[in-house]
C-alpha cells in the first residue's frame, strides 16, 4: 500500500512538474471565458429556499454551540492548572506563535464530541494546515488541558488522519507535543491494532523516507508513547523546564527503585539536548521554541515561486467573484433530498464569475459535470442533481477520466439519493443491473484518478451513490460536510429500504428511522472523524481555494526522490 502511495506521489510530482512548466504559458494562452451560469433565485424557488434556510439556521446554532464547547478545551480548572501551575501556553496561543497568521485550515475541530465515552474537545489535539514562513505545513498540536493530552481512540484517529493529509499532499509536518501518552482506561482501543498508537511512529519513519519533513517541539510532557514523537522527528526543539521526555515518569521510578528524581533530571531539556541527543535545540522559553521551529521550516527543500509572484498577483487580480451572494447557499443547502434545488444554483455561487463550462449537459442530467475556476484554479466539478442513474454514472466516469487525462483537480458536490439504488428497482432487473455496472465503472474511474480530489457533502451522503461521488473510502484529499448534511446508508424516513420485506414490525422501522435521524447528522459524523470537518456553506469557496493552494504546493519541493531510509537519530 505504502509503495503504491509513494509511487503515486512520485508520479504526481513528475506530472506536476510537467504541468507547471507549461502552466504560465497556458494561463496566458487560455484566458478562458466560460459561459455565465445565470441562476438567480426565482419566486418559484422561495418555498423550498425558505424551508432550507430555516433548517440551515438551526444547524448553524448547533455549529456555534459545538464551536464554543471546543474553544473551552478541558475546562476552567484544567486551563488554570495548565497555565498557572505548569506555566505553559494554551494550544491556540502556541499556534499563534508558530504560524504566520490566524488564517489556517483547522481539520475536524468537532472530532471527539458526542462519543460513547464522553465529550473529548478537539479530540485532545488540534490538527490543521497553516503557513510557516509562507509554506503550508500540517500541525498536530496536543491540548494538555484535555486529560493531560492523553490519547483516546479518537485522538489517535485524528493524528493519523493529519499524517495522511501530510502524506497525500506532501506537506511538512510539525508536532507540538504535550501528552501523557495513551489514555489508560481505553488502552485496548489505542494500543494494539494497526491503526492505533504505533502507526504514528511508523508514519513518521515512512514520511521522513519520502522526504516529507518531520519537525517537533517538546512543549510539555512526552511520556511513554509520546516520547517517540520527538525522538523520531528529523529535528526537535525542547523547552527548558516545560518539556520532559521519558518512558516512565518520576512516580514510576520511585515505585520501581525507591529513588526520588525530579522530572528535569530524569528527562528535561538540558539532559536531552546535552547528554542523550534526543533533541537538537534547547529553547529557554516557549516563544523561542516556535521561533526556532519557524527557522527550521525555512531550511526545508522548498522553493516557493518568486518569479511567479507577478503571475500569481495577476491571476488573483483577474479573479471574478460569483454573481450571487454566498449567503444564498444557506437556502440552497437541502434540508432533505426533496428540498434540493437545481445544483447549478450552488455551482454558480462557488465559481469565479459564476462561470461554468458544462460537459454533456444534455445527457445523464441527474449529474452535472463541467469545468470552472475557483479563485483562479481550474477544477472539474461533479455534482449530484438527482439519483445517479445509468447514464449519469457513465457521464461521471467519462468526465472524471477526462479531468485525470488533463491533470485537472476534481471537486465533488455530493447530494446523493436517500435510498440504496437497488431497492428502488426490484421490478426492473435490467435497469438495475445496468446502473450497477455503470456505477461500478464510475467508482473505478474515481478510485484510480490520480488528480487531487476534494469532496463537499452539500446534502445527502447515502448508499452506493456516495462511493462513486468520492466518499471517504475513496480517499479524497479533503472531505468536508455542510452542517445540513446527512451521512447514513439510507436517509431518515427510508429505513424500509434497509429492512427485509418480511420484517413485519412497523415499530422496528420507526425505531430504525429514529436511529437514522440521530446517527446521520453532520455533527454525529464529524464527532467520529468520518470527514475533515463541518464547514459553513458560505465559507466553501474559501476552503476549496485553500485546499487547492495547499495541494499545489508540492510542485515547489525541490526534490522528492525517496531516500533509502528515514533520517535516523544516532
Ligand atoms: N491515562 C488516563 N488519564 C490520565 C493519564 C493517562 N495516561 N495521564 C493523566 N491522566 C489524567 C489525570 O488523571 C488527570 O485527570 P483529572 O483531570 O480527571 O484529574 C488529568 O489527566 C491531568 O493529569 P494531572 O496529572 O493532574 O496533570 P499534570 O499536568 O500535572 O500532569 C501528566 C500531566 C500527563 C504529565 C501526568 O498526568 C502524567 O505523568 N501521567 C501519567 C503518564 C503515563 O504514565 N502514561 C503512560 C501511558 S502509556
Amino acid at each position: 500500500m505504502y509503495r503504491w502511495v509513494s509511487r503515486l506521489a512520485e508520479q504526481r510530482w513528475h506530472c506536476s512538474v510537467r504541468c507547471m512548466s507549461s502552466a504560465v504559458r497556458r494561463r496566458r494562452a487560455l484566458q478562458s471565458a466560460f459561459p455565465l451560469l445565470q441562476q438567480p433565485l426565482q419566486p418559484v424557488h422561495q418555498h423550498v429556499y425558505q424551508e432550507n434556510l430555516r433548517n440551515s439556521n438551526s444547524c448553524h446554532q448547533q455549529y456555534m454551540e459545538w464551536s464554543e464547547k471546543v474553544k473551552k478545551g478541558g475546562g476552567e480548572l484544567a486551563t488554570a492548572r495548565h497555565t498557572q501551575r505548569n506555566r505553559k501556553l494554551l494550544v491556540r496561543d502556541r499556534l499563534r506563535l508558530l504560524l504566520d497568521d490566524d488564517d489556517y485550515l483547522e481539520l475536524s475541530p468537532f472530532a471527539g464530541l458526542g462519543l460513547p465515552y464522553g465529550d473529548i474537545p478537539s479530540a485532545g489535539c488540534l490538527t490543521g494546515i497553516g503557513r510557516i514562513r509562507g509554506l503550508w505545513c500540517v500541525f498536530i498540536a496536543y491540548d494538555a488541558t484535555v486529560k493531560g493530552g492523553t490519547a483516546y481512540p479518537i485522538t489517535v484517529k485524528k493524528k493519523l488522519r493529519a499524517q495522511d493529509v501530510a502524506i497525500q499532499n506532501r506537506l511538512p509536518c510539525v508536532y507540538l507535543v504535550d501528552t501523557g501518552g495513551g489514555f489508560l482506561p481505553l488502552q485496548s482501543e489505542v494500543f494494539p491494532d494497526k491503526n492505533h498508537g504505533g502507526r504514528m511512529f511508523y508514519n513518521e519513519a515512512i514520511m521522513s523516507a519520502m522526504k516529507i519533513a518531520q519537525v517537533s517541539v517538546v512543549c510539555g510532557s512526552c511520556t511513554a508513547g509520546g516520547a517517540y514523537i520527538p525522538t523520531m522527528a528529523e529535528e526537535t526543539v525542547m523547552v527548558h523546564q516545560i518539556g520532559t521526555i521519558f518512558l516512565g515518569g518520576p512516580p514510576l521510578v520511585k515505585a520501581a527503585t525507591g529513588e526520588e528524581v525530579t522530572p528535569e533530571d530524569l528527562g528535561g531539556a538540558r539532559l536531552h539536548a546535552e547528554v542523550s541527543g534526543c533533541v537538537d535545540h534547547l529553547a529557554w522559553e516557549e516563544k523561542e521554541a516556535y521561533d526556532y521551529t519557524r527557522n527550521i521550516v525555512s531550511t526545508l527543500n522548498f522553493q516557493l515561486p518568486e518569479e511567479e509572484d507577478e503571475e500569481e498577483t495577476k491571476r488573483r487580480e483577474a479573479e471574478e467573484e460569483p454573481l450571487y451572494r454566498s449567503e444564498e447557499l444557506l437556502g440552497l443547502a437541502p434540508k432533505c433530498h426533496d428540498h434540493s434545488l437545481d445544483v447549478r444554483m450552488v455551482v454558480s455561487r462557488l465559481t469565479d464569475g459564476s462561470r461554468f463550462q458544462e460537459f454533456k449537459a444534455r445527457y445523464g442530467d441527474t449529474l452535472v459535470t463541467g469545468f470552472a475556476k475557483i479563485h483562479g484554479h481550474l477544477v472539474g466539478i461533479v455534482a449530484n442533481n438527482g439519483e445517479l442513474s445509468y447514464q449519469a454514472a457513465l457521464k461521471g466516469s467519462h468526465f472524471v477520466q477526462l479531468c485525470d487525462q488533463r491533470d485537472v483537480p476534481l471537486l465533488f458536490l455530493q447530494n446523493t439519493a436517500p435510498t440504496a439504488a437497488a431497492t428502488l428497482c426490484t421490478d426492473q432487473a435490467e435497469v438495475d443491473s445496468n446502473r450497477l455496472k455503470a456505477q461500478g465503472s464510475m467508482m473505478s474511474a474515481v478510485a484510480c484518478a490520480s488528480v487531487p480530489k476534494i469532496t463537499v457533502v452539500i446534502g445527502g451522503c447515502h448508499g452506493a451513490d456516495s462511493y462513486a461521488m468520492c466518499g471517504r473510502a475513496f480517499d479524497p484529499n479533503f472531505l468536508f460536510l455542510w452542517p445540513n448534511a446527512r451521512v447514513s446508508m439510507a436517509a431518515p424516513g427510508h429505513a424500509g429500504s434497509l429492512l427485509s420485506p418480511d420484517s413485519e414490525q412497523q415499530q422496528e422501522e420507526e425505531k430504525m428511522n429514529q436511529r437514522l435521524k440521530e446517527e446521520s447528522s453532520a455533527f454525529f459524523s464529524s464527532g467520529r472523524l468520518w470527514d475533515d470537518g463541518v464547514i459553513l456553506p458560505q465559507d466553501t469557496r474559501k476552503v476549496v481555494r485553500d485546499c487547492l493552494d495547499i495541494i499545489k504546493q508540492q510542485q515547489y519541493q525541490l526534490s522528492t526522490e525517496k531516500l533509502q531510509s528515514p533520517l535516523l537519530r544516532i
Side-chain angles (χ1 to χ4, degrees):
M1 178 63 187
Y2 155 68
R3 283 180 185 284
W4 185 79
V5 169
S6 165
R7 228 182 14 248
L8 195 64
E10 280 165 22
Q11 267 173 14
R12 278 186 193 162
W13 156 237
H14 290 303
C15 170
S16 310
V17 172
R18 177 160 52 85
C19 300
M20 195 172 57
S21 56
S22 59
V24 175
R25 264 199 322 274
R26 221 198 289 163
R27 220 173 357 231
R28 284 197 192 113
L30 303 180
Q31 285 291 326
S32 57
F34 296 149
L36 276 179
L37 199 51
Q38 301 275 9
Q39 292 285 333
L41 271 172
Q42 308 278 10
V44 68
H45 301 135
Q46 276 305 324
H47 174 69
V48 171
Y49 182 86
Q50 292 302 335
E51 277 270 323
N52 285 342
L53 194 56
R54 269 192 291 279
N55 183 56
S56 283
N57 288 338
S58 105
C59 293
H60 189 253
Q61 223 168 334
Q62 182 164 9
Y63 179 92
M64 294 312 290
E65 277 166 25
W66 277 37
S67 301
E68 281 306 307
K69 231 186 222 188
V70 163
K71 268 192 218 143
K72 289 184 185 149
E76 268 174 44
L77 264 181
T79 301
R81 188 169 56 203
H82 183 89
T83 53
Q84 291 161 24
R85 194 187 71 190
N86 297 346
R87 298 188 315 279
K88 293 188 286 189
L89 293 177
L90 292 171
V91 63
R92 289 181 197 278
D93 295 330
R94 288 173 168 169
L95 290 176
R96 239 166 249 133
L97 293 172
L98 175 72
L99 303 173
D100 291 352
D101 51 42
D102 277 349
D103 189 16
Y104 56 82
L105 180 65
E106 188 172 342
L107 297 175
S108 301
F110 297 155
L113 295 184
L115 298 185
Y117 46 82
D119 276 343
I120 318 298
S122 300
C125 89
L126 270 67
T127 63
I129 307 164
R131 268 175 293 227
I132 302 177
R133 299 243 191 256
L135 196 71
W136 289 105
C137 299
V138 163
F139 60 79
I140 298 178
Y142 289 80
D143 182 354
T145 68
V146 181
K147 285 280 181 196
T150 52
Y152 287 75
I154 194 72
T155 320
V156 173
K157 194 171 177 190
K158 189 169 178 183
K159 291 184 296 185
L160 294 184
R161 171 61 192 153
Q163 287 185 320
D164 230 24
V165 168
I167 293 173
Q168 207 174 4
N169 302 292
R170 295 199 64 87
L171 298 166
C173 212
V174 179
Y175 305 83
L176 305 188
V177 200
D178 188 354
T179 172
F183 181 73
L184 282 170
L186 295 176
Q187 65 81 26
S188 67
E189 294 171 56
V190 296
F191 172 67
D193 208 352
K194 177 176 166 181
N195 283 324
H196 283 175
R199 191 72 181 179
M200 182 138 175
F201 315 128
Y202 172 87
N203 283 346
E204 271 191 81
I206 294 298
M207 288 157 86
S208 176
M210 288 175 76
K211 288 195 179 166
I212 295 174
Q214 306 292 298
V215 180
S216 80
V217 181
V218 181
C219 48
S221 156
C222 292
T223 309
Y228 292 99
I229 303 168
T231 313
M232 290 181 69
E234 294 165 0
E235 207 164 337
T236 292
V237 185
M238 188 163 176
V239 188
H240 183 56
Q241 292 198 325
I242 281 184
T244 50
I245 303 178
F246 31 64
L247 294 173
L252 208 70
V253 174
K254 181 148 199 304
T257 65
E259 193 188 345
E260 296 220 8
V261 60
T262 66
E264 210 48 33
D265 288 341
L266 188 63
R270 290 192 68 166
L271 177 108
H272 286 301
E274 295 169 4
V275 182
S276 77
C278 281
V279 307
D280 313 294
H281 307 277
L282 185 149
W284 295 104
E285 41 107 20
E286 279 210 57
K287 181 174 178 315
E288 193 183 343
Y290 305 116
D291 289 342
Y292 265 128
T293 311
R294 289 174 55 76
N295 283 338
I296 291 169
V297 169
S298 70
T299 67
L300 300 182
N301 69 339
F302 280 83
Q303 194 161 42
L304 298 177
E306 265 177 53
E307 71 277 14
E308 270 211 350
D309 277 350
E310 199 187 326
E311 193 60 39
E312 193 67 13
T313 315
K314 269 196 216 155
R315 180 174 72 88
R316 298 238 185 261
E317 279 171 5
E319 281 170 25
E320 295 173 277
E321 282 301 304
L323 293 183
Y324 311 102
R325 289 184 318 118
S326 58
E327 282 67 25
E328 288 177 0
L329 289 167
L330 293 168
L332 299 175
K335 179 183 170 197
C336 60
H337 205 257
D338 297 342
H339 284 65
S340 301
L341 294 169
D342 192 321
V343 77
R344 291 175 188 85
M345 295 181 80
V346 173
V347 172
S348 64
R349 281 149 184 86
L350 294 178
T351 61
D352 289 1
S354 299
R355 293 179 184 279
F356 186 56
Q357 167 88 3
E358 194 162 349
F359 173 77
K360 269 187 151 86
R362 302 170 73 85
Y363 181 88
D365 60 3
T366 53
L367 189 74
V368 171
T369 55
F371 295 99
K373 287 192 175 173
I374 293 185
H375 286 283
H377 293 281
L378 181 64
V379 286
I381 295 179
V382 183
N384 291 116
N385 209 24
E387 281 171 34
L388 194 61
S389 64
Y390 166 71
Q391 287 187 328
L394 286 185
K395 167 170 149 179
S397 303
H398 185 167
F399 185 70
V400 165
Q401 293 194 322
L402 195 67
C403 289
D404 199 20
Q405 184 91 347
R406 297 177 186 176
D407 297 321
V408 177
L410 283 159
L411 172 64
F412 292 86
L413 299 177
Q414 190 180 124
N415 178 22
T416 56
T419 50
T423 56
L424 291 174
C425 306
T426 41
D427 308 341
Q428 313 171 55
E430 195 181 331
V431 173
D432 203 10
S433 309
N434 280 334
R435 171 144 81 169
L436 177 66
K437 199 165 56 175
Q439 286 190 341
S441 296
M442 184 169 167
M443 284 186 211
S444 298
V446 171
C448 294
S450 62
V451 286
K453 289 162 252 175
I454 300 167
T455 302
V456 182
V457 182
I458 63 170
C461 169
H462 306 296
D465 291 15
S466 71
Y467 303 140
M469 287 298 290
C470 205
R472 189 64 148 181
F474 280 65
D475 224 6
N477 296 52
F478 296 98
L479 185 148
F480 298 102
L481 307 179
W482 281 1
N484 56 295
R486 292 261 167 208
V487 182
S488 54
M489 277 173 71
H494 294 79
S497 68
L498 295 179
L499 298 171
S500 85
D502 41 331
S503 112
E504 71 296 333
Q505 319 88 323
Q506 197 186 343
Q507 244 185 354
E508 197 179 323
E509 193 170 326
E510 275 167 25
K511 246 193 331 197
M512 179 65 91
N513 273 326
Q514 183 53 32
R515 195 162 166 191
L516 283 174
K517 190 168 173 206
E518 288 161 15
E519 295 185 353
S520 64
S521 96
F523 299 93
F524 187 93
S525 166
S526 223
R528 282 152 183 78
L529 227 149
W530 298 338
D531 51 74
D532 294 316
V534 176
I535 58 168
L536 297 177
Q538 60 271 39
D539 294 341
T540 308
R541 204 171 124 77
K542 179 185 181 304
V543 171
V544 172
R545 181 202 63 194
D546 285 350
C547 292
L548 292 165
D549 280 346
I550 288 164
I551 290 166
K552 191 177 172 193
Q553 177 175 281
Q554 60 191 290
Q555 299 180 4
Y556 307 126
Q557 190 167 11
L558 296 178
S559 147
T560 57
E561 201 176 305
K562 189 177 174 295
L563 299 172
Q564 288 308 309
S565 79
L567 198 142
L568 301 177
R569 188 178 290 282
I570 42 177

